[in-house]
């Protein structure tokens, strides 16, 4: 088996690994977007309740309960912001892994192409020698 063919097998394996890492990156980026969407929904929810509280004119007891509820929503917002940060860190790590995998695949592909060109050049030189040898024999046979 030619070296370029062996290298092609390695390139294919590296490409498969790169594809797996790319799929993970896509999932991580989607998770970040989902977490951001949840945060925006929580913020809208908190803002809606805060504005309703001002309009309702609640009793002191209900105002306290209402405020506890709003505080819990604010805690959920803080937790969601932390979740977004973790998801973004995970997506960044996936991006770095994908870039490394992509770099490896490209490097192996370049090496395979280089070997393929070298093999083709060798084959071309060999064919040229055979053609020259055939022409020389024919010339010598005609000379006799």
């Amino acid at each position: 088996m030619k070296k370029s063919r062996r290298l092609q097998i390695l390139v294919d394996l590296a490409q498969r690994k790169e594809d797996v890492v790319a799929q993970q990156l896509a999932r991580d980026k989607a998770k970040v977007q989902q977490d951001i969407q949840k945060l925006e929904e929580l913020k809208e929810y908190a803002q809606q309740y805060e504005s309703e509280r001002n309009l309702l004119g609640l009793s002191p007891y209900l105002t306290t309960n209402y405020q506890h509820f709003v505080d819990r929503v604010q805690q959920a917002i803080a937790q969601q912001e932390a979740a977004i940060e973790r998801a973004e860190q995970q997506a960044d790590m996936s991006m770095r892994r994908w870039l490394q995998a992509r770099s490896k695949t490209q490097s192996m592909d370049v090496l395979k192409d280089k070997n393929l060109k070298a093999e083709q050049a060798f084959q071309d030189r060999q064919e040229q020698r055979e053609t020259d040898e055939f022409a020389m024999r024919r010339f010598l046979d005609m000379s006799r």
Side-chain angles (χ1 to χ4, degrees), residues 107-135:
S107 297
M108 294 180 81
D109 202 32
V110 166
L111 182 61
K112 180 210 51 149
D113 288 345
K114 189 176 181 180
N115 275 282
L116 191 59
K117 287 177 185 175
E119 289 169 0
Q120 186 63 46
F122 177 77
Q123 186 176 354
D124 291 347
R125 286 191 305 273
Q126 194 166 0
E127 287 175 5
Q128 185 63 45
R129 272 190 234 122
E130 289 172 3
T131 302
D132 291 348
E133 187 177 315
F134 178 75

Side-chain angles (χ1 to χ4, degrees), residues 69-122:
F69 176 74
V70 170
D71 289 344
R72 284 193 298 257
V73 172
Q74 292 299 330
Q75 288 173 349
I77 288 172
Q79 290 172 349
Q80 191 61 31
E81 288 171 341
I84 290 171
E85 188 173 327
R86 287 189 304 272
E88 286 174 338
Q89 289 172 352
Q90 181 63 41
D92 288 345
M93 287 190 321
S94 292
M95 177 62 85
R96 285 191 294 276
R97 282 194 299 273
W98 177 77
L99 288 171
Q100 288 172 343
R102 182 71 188 135
S103 177
K104 183 176 181 179
T105 302
Q106 287 175 330
S107 297
M108 294 180 81
D109 202 32
V110 166
L111 182 61
K112 180 210 51 149
D113 288 345
K114 189 176 181 180
N115 275 282
L116 191 59
K117 287 177 185 175
E119 289 169 0
Q120 186 63 46
F122 177 77

